[in-house]
Amino acid sequence: MTDIPQDHPRYESLLAREKVAAGVKMGITSIQGLIAQGRGESFDYLIGERSTESALYAERAAVAALLLAENPVISVNGNVAALAPEKVVALADITGAKIEVNLFHRTDTRVHLIIEHLKASGASEVLGKNPDASLDLSHDRRLVSSKGIYTADVVLVPLEDGDRCEKLVKMGKTVITIDLNPLSRTSRTATISIVDNVTRALGNMAKLAQEMKKEKKEELVKLITSYDNKKAIAGAISEIQEHLKTMIAEVEY
Amino acid sequence: MTDIPQDHPRYESLLAREKVAAGVKMGITSIQGLIAQGRGESFDYLIGERSTESALYAERAAVAALLLAENPVISVNGNVAALAPEKVVALADITGAKIEVNLFHRTDTRVHLIIEHLKASGASEVLGKNPDASLDLSHDRRLVSSKGIYTADVVLVPLEDGDRCEKLVKMGKTVITIDLNPLSRTSRTATISIVDNVTRALGNMAKLAQEMKKEKKEELVKLITSYDNKKAIAGAISEIQEHLKTMIAEVEY
């Protein structure tokens, strides 16, 4: 990886870029994953590269859902594995969630490499190598594990594509997504739509889970029943509009 | 390249993505170029994937500047070569501009492959192989040709980085940029800032050049003297804000 000075104003963003590029070299991230990373960079720039109030609101509800779930699963793709493997493992450990690798551009080698990468980051079990169930989709995102995503009641799918998100919601699951575009089909169809950078969101969620684990079950239930996803998305949209205005005001003409 | 159905609603965008991915496989586009392509996709999405009024206003002025120039040069990097080599050649032919390869992530092999790719697309001469002059920059974008970028009075630098743009402006050159982010340092420092997708912009400019070549010199001079770059950038910003509002209104909650 290229050495990036820690005091660089865009350190986190540049580091993430290096991690995804390294993921491609390691064979865990697809070429398309790099383009997706770039798309995310732009939206993160528009939102001010910070976890907004609406993002934290959604993250709190998401953690409550994971903590209350009977069979929570975190779905991992090549970008998530490259960007934040330790954060995935930490969140899974604290919430008792399973980890399952699920790829759009699936090859057995990539699945294997991602599983090994997650294990090197501390994961004990990772599903996804031998999918024995199938969602009603035409692409490889359909291949799932019967004890993982297929039977999960709560699924965290960071960096998801719109049609699998829709399918999982239709199956009656609580679907938590992390997507920086609040207008994407994924954000619009999820049960809990987190509009945040995936590294920041997973970090926040692991921290929140540590604290919220001590709370009473009723408190967590209350958090979920009072949660309004439309409010979260509308908040994210107006935060982008506000930040855009701030940026425009800062530019001198 | 993956086969994309021509009636796909996002055909142009997906095709561009395939072209850049193919550029990486051919060795002409860098890994970082893929991330840049993704960043561009987001901004293009925000602007509605069309050449806006302000973009066409800037493109017309840019063509006038190229037609009136004594030594116009088009600077080409790995993404431009992958995305629109024929459009670069067409614009160069019509305006009499030279073509020069100039790379941030420079290797002799990449320069060679890009030159060959441009020649296969119809270019007769391409500068950049043996740079004999240097700009005052710390990275490889500094390496230029004395009969090309170094002495050019008008330079078209699509997909430029901010510091070289600044340097070229300081050298007294008319610098034309193509950058989908109207708030970027590149857009803010260029003489003529085109906020448009590079493929669309180069296509528009080649067409405009064909028509405007027939116009009287005074008409072209008038176009440039009346051109207001602040107006172009402010227009691009409000077009993004307006399109964002339209998208939000279309989303049903």
Side-chain angles (χ1 to χ4, degrees), chain B residues 142-160:
Chain B
R142 77 180 180 282
L143 303 167
V144 292
S145 159
S146 61
K147 65 176 184 166
I149 290 170
Y150 196 73
T151 54
D153 51 346
V154 176
V155 203
L156 168 60
V157 277
L159 314 182
E160 181 62 359

Side-chain angles (χ1 to χ4, degrees), chain A residues 2 17-18 20-21 24-25 31-32 34-43 45-46 181-184 188 230 233-234 237 240-241 244-245 247-248 251-253, chain B residues 2 17-18 20-21 24-25 31-32 34-43 45-46 181-184 188 230 233-234 237 240-241 244-245 247-248 251-253:
Chain A
T2 312
R17 193 184 293 178
E18 290 297 325
V20 177
V24 172
K25 277 175 203 147
I31 284 287
Q32 289 81 356
L34 280 170
I35 297 181
Q37 173 67 18
R39 283 200 303 279
E41 278 187 14
S42 289
F43 279 106
Y45 165 92
L46 286 173
N181 178 0
L183 299 166
S184 73
R188 276 153 35 197
K230 286 177 191 174
I233 294 179
I237 291 171
I240 288 178
Q241 287 177 308
L244 197 55
K245 275 187 210 159
M247 284 196 287
I248 293 163
V251 174
E252 284 174 60
Y253 291 117
Chain B
T2 312
R17 193 184 293 178
E18 290 297 326
V20 177
V24 173
K25 277 173 202 147
I31 284 287
Q32 290 81 354
L34 280 169
I35 298 181
Q37 173 67 17
R39 282 201 303 279
E41 278 187 16
S42 289
F43 280 105
Y45 165 92
L46 286 173
N181 178 0
L183 298 167
S184 73
R188 276 154 34 201
K230 287 177 190 173
I233 293 179
I237 290 171
I240 287 178
Q241 286 177 308
L244 197 56
K245 274 188 209 157
M247 284 195 289
I248 293 163
V251 174
E252 284 173 60
Y253 291 117

Side-chain angles (χ1 to χ4, degrees), chain B residues 72-109:
Chain B
V73 175
I74 304 175
S75 176
V76 173
N77 73 358
N79 282 43
V80 175
L83 285 165
E86 327 76 22
K87 292 186 170 84
V88 167
V89 174
L91 183 61
D93 279 353
I94 303 164
T95 60
K98 291 173 186 154
I99 300 174
E100 179 168 341
V101 175
N102 182 277
L103 307 177
F104 191 90
H105 300 279
R106 184 189 177 97
T107 68
D108 286 345
T109 311

Side-chain angles (χ1 to χ4, degrees), chain B:
Chain B
M1 279 200 266
T2 312
D3 232 14
I4 308 155
Q6 284 216 26
D7 59 354
H8 191 288
R10 307 198 57 244
Y11 175 75
E12 295 296 339
S13 173
L14 295 175
L15 184 67
R17 193 184 293 178
E18 290 297 326
K19 281 185 180 173
V20 177
V24 173
K25 277 173 202 147
M26 287 163 69
I28 63 177
T29 309
S30 69
I31 284 287
Q32 290 81 354
L34 280 169
I35 298 181
Q37 173 67 17
R39 282 201 303 279
E41 278 187 16
S42 289
F43 280 105
D44 205 8
Y45 165 92
L46 286 173
I47 213 161
E49 293 175 335
R50 77 216 144 103
S51 295
T52 64
E53 212 177 301
S54 70
L56 288 162
Y57 170 63
E59 284 158 12
R60 185 172 284 277
V63 170
L66 287 170
L67 286 172
L68 290 172
E70 299 220 342
N71 185 21
V73 175
I74 304 175
S75 176
V76 173
N77 73 358
N79 282 43
V80 175
L83 285 165
E86 327 76 22
K87 292 186 170 84
V88 167
V89 174
L91 183 61
D93 279 353
I94 303 164
T95 60
K98 291 173 186 154
I99 300 174
E100 179 168 341
V101 175
N102 182 277
L103 307 177
F104 191 90
H105 300 279
R106 184 189 177 97
T107 68
D108 286 345
T109 311
R110 277 189 68 216
V111 174
H112 173 75
L113 288 170
I114 292 172
I115 291 175
E116 290 310 306
H117 189 59
L118 288 165
K119 285 191 174 165
S121 301
S124 47
E125 197 194 358
V126 182
L127 303 171
K129 194 155 197 163
N130 302 303
D132 56 353
S134 184
L135 307 176
D136 182 21
L137 289 169
S138 59
H139 54 73
D140 281 354
R141 279 278 210 187
R142 77 180 180 282
L143 303 167
V144 292
S145 159
S146 61
K147 65 176 184 166
I149 290 170
Y150 196 73
T151 54
D153 51 346
V154 176
V155 203
L156 168 60
V157 277
L159 314 182
E160 181 62 359
D161 46 284
D163 54 350
R164 192 174 70 134
C165 179
E166 228 165 56
K167 196 62 63 181
L168 293 169
V169 170
K170 271 190 190 154
M171 286 171 84
K173 301 179 193 300
T174 295
V175 180
I176 306 162
T177 55
I178 305 175
D179 185 332
L180 277 157
N181 178 0
L183 298 167
S184 73
R185 194 150 56 101
T186 297
S187 292
R188 276 154 34 201
T189 47
T191 322
I192 301 176
S193 312
I194 298 171
V195 180
D196 200 358
N197 167 300
V198 73
T199 307
R200 286 198 307 268
L202 290 171
N204 292 342
M205 288 168 77
K207 252 188 241 168
L208 283 168
Q210 198 79 58
E211 297 161 17
M212 288 165 64
K213 219 185 161 160
K214 299 164 202 155
E215 282 175 30
K216 283 192 193 130
K217 200 181 155 181
E218 302 91 84
E219 289 300 315
L220 300 179
V221 171
K222 223 167 82 182
L223 250 175
I224 293 177
T225 49
S226 69
Y227 175 77
D228 180 354
N229 201 47
K230 287 177 190 173
K231 190 176 136 188
I233 293 179
I237 290 171
S238 63
E239 280 154 349
I240 287 178
Q241 286 177 308
E242 284 309 310
H243 188 67
L244 197 56
K245 274 188 209 157
T246 313
M247 284 195 289
I248 293 163
E250 277 168 9
V251 174
E252 284 173 60
Y253 291 117

Side-chain angles (χ1 to χ4, degrees), chain A residues 44 60 89 110 121 135 139 153 155 175 178 184 187 193 217:
Chain A
D44 205 9
R60 186 171 283 277
V89 174
R110 276 189 69 216
S121 301
L135 307 176
H139 54 72
D153 51 345
V155 203
V175 180
I178 305 175
S184 73
S187 292
S193 313
K217 199 180 156 182

